[in-house]
Amino acid sequence: MRLKNVTNDLILKTATTIIVFLILGFSVYLFFAGHNAPGGGFIGGLMTSGAFVLLYIAYGFQTMNRVVKIDFKTFIPIGLTIAVLSGVGSFLYGQPFLSHTDGYFHLPIIGKAHLATAMIFDLGVYFTVIGVTMTIILSIAKDEGEQVENAE
Amino acid sequence: MSNLAILPILLPLLTGIMLVFINKQKTLVKVITGIMVFVNLAVVSWIGSVVFQEGPLVLEAGDWPAPFGIVIVADQLAMVLVITTNLIAVASAFYAFRSLDEQRERYYFYALFQLLIAGVSGAFLTGDLFNLFVFFEVLLMASYGLIVLGGTKEQLRESLKYILINLFSSILFVTTVAFLYSVVGTVNMAQLAERVADVEQQGILTTIAILLFLVFATKGALFPLYFWLPRSYSAPPTVISALFGALLTKVGVYSILRVFSLIFIYKLEFTHQFFIYMAGFTILFGVIGALSTNNVKLIVAYNIIPAVGFMMAGIGVFSATALAGTIYYLVHDMIIKAALFFLVGTMAAISGTYDLRKMGGLIKHHPLLGWMFFIAALALAGLPPFSGFIGKFLLLKGAVEEDHYGIVAVGLIGSLLILLSIIKIFLNGFWGEARLAPEQEKASENGRLFPVALLLIFTIALGLGAEFFYPGIQGIADSLVDPSIYIDAVIKE
């Protein structure tokens, strides 16, 4: 029988704590870059889930479930709701479904910024992708051949 | 307001998402599902009446003009099918409340159900070939979830086949769209129709048309691409089988009808002649399958295939009369297949087996169920007072007018054999000695007959009220023969 939880992954864990923030930062950059450069909600979401997966690999289920108390499954309906409602929002202004608008705003710190409602749709995609990816990976990882309660 | 056209897709989609949030409160899920199916039916009926009074509604999503953006086209044909879909959704939801086990309800059945309805409505309403593919995937993804839900051995085996064949045909669909886009340079159906007309559908376009036909024929289960259907449709629980049998293959038929009445209509002597042969074989082989088995659910599942054959015959003949017959038959068949699946599901639940040889005498304790089944059987075979008759009559009349006597003969023989296959269930299952005393029965019919009654009322209404429905259907068929009506509605110069 293989001994569990006795491996000493000091290097992996130390490296992970630094790298995860780099990946998360890069994923957020990709998410915001989407309008004018390669990137967007899909790749940003995948990258974010990549960071989470790295955390799970380095620290294992028990620790992660204690630290990150998130049910990734709820990300899916939240993301879908945001995406669909960003399309429905155009109803309020008498415009066809999924009409988007944009404008220039002056924000504190950042200064002049180009904000578009397409961003809200992208946020929905971002959440959905995180939710789906993490649900798939965690459900498969938890299923150890026994009748484990399915990703509750 | 053109935003009306998106509501049949949006409402079930939002409902499905909402049901994922509240999945743990089982009663609330059922209450919301129950209310929303009626709201949906009311909304689409209203949109339907608007469309029939004022002509097609065209929604240019995101305010982009027609050939550049995605269009949602709610014309009369699409609305008739969407209304029928929502009618079946109402019946299915209430059948599911009574028949589905708690385990399946807990794992998002109602959410998947709503997403399936959203996908089917989207496929009927879209005016863009690639968007049609996306909605095909939406409904197929939901159906993958539904077919494997519960995870019995048989379901796992059949879902593997189902997913493989559908993935393959989806790959072929994308490839075909890529071919078409490289030749014609657009995926908007109305503009496709214009551009194919400009070059009068030369060689390569006919090849692409046949490829596209093979894609839809796989989804719609035509000979020789129907082999996956009967067993995968009879593996999941009854309510899921009914949804599949009533909706999924019909989306394939609708796609063929749309594409081959709008875009590829310049080589009729080749493409549509080919359809008639396919239709003939589909009717014959489907009905042979239905006669070959004693599994009640499998008999009904096999009966989907000849019905698709009848519709294809109408598309192949391609006259206004035959197309009216096809549309009438399409609506009739969606309703009656759902009703038949519910009826045999109830029979099997009561007697605890799907094997016809182990049933018998059910009519002694369940007269209502028995006579409902009898009506459904007659409607399926196409006897005069019921809806099946009008559709078949128009189809065959159209075929005779265009001198396609072969398909008429096949159709009539096929109808006879369909009657034989379905009345076999009635004779063996309901007649004879009662095998089970009331207290030995495995389930009660309580509550399961209301959805069936709802569907049968519409079957009878479609048959007896033919005078009322026929002008509308004939109008749709006339507009299908003349594609410029659709093109002008979508592309406004």
Side-chain angles (χ1 to χ4, degrees), chain B residues 208-274:
Chain B
I208 292 170
I210 291 298
L211 274 177
L212 208 52
F213 169 73
L214 289 179
V215 172
F216 296 140
T218 318
K219 314 259 189 206
L222 274 151
F223 173 84
L225 301 163
Y226 67 83
F227 51 88
W228 54 273
L229 181 137
R231 296 213 176 262
S232 11
Y233 275 25
S234 56
T238 308
V239 57
I240 299 173
S241 301
L243 278 171
F244 285 15
L247 303 178
L248 298 194
T249 51
K250 308 312 182 280
V251 181
V253 175
Y254 164 79
S255 307
I256 295 175
L257 180 59
R258 182 63 90 196
V259 167
F260 286 91
S261 70
L262 181 65
I263 304 171
F264 301 111
I265 47 167
Y266 301 95
K267 292 282 185 288
L268 289 180
E269 69 284 0
F270 176 67
T271 49
H272 288 59
Q273 196 67 36
F274 175 59

Side-chain angles (χ1 to χ4, degrees), chain A residues 73 77-78 80-81 84-85 88 91 95-99 149-150 152, chain B residues 3 6 10 13-14 17 20-21 24 59-63 106-108:
Chain A
K73 262 191 300 179
I78 290 173
L80 286 173
T81 315
V84 175
L85 289 185
V88 176
F91 284 19
Q95 293 293 312
F97 181 65
L98 274 178
S99 297
E149 187 60 19
N150 197 1
E152 281 296 337
Chain B
N3 268 328
I6 195 80
L10 211 53
L13 182 62
L14 277 172
I17 297 168
V20 180
F21 277 118
K24 293 220 170 77
L59 168 64
E60 289 162 342
D63 216 7
R106 203 153 69 90
Y107 285 105
Y108 304 103

Side-chain angles (χ1 to χ4, degrees), chain B residues 191-212:
Chain B
Q191 204 184 15
L192 265 175
E194 272 185 335
R195 294 199 170 168
V196 170
D198 282 347
V199 294
E200 289 180 336
Q201 196 184 337
Q202 286 170 354
I204 182 74
L205 283 169
T206 309
T207 314
I208 292 170
I210 291 298
L211 274 177
L212 208 52

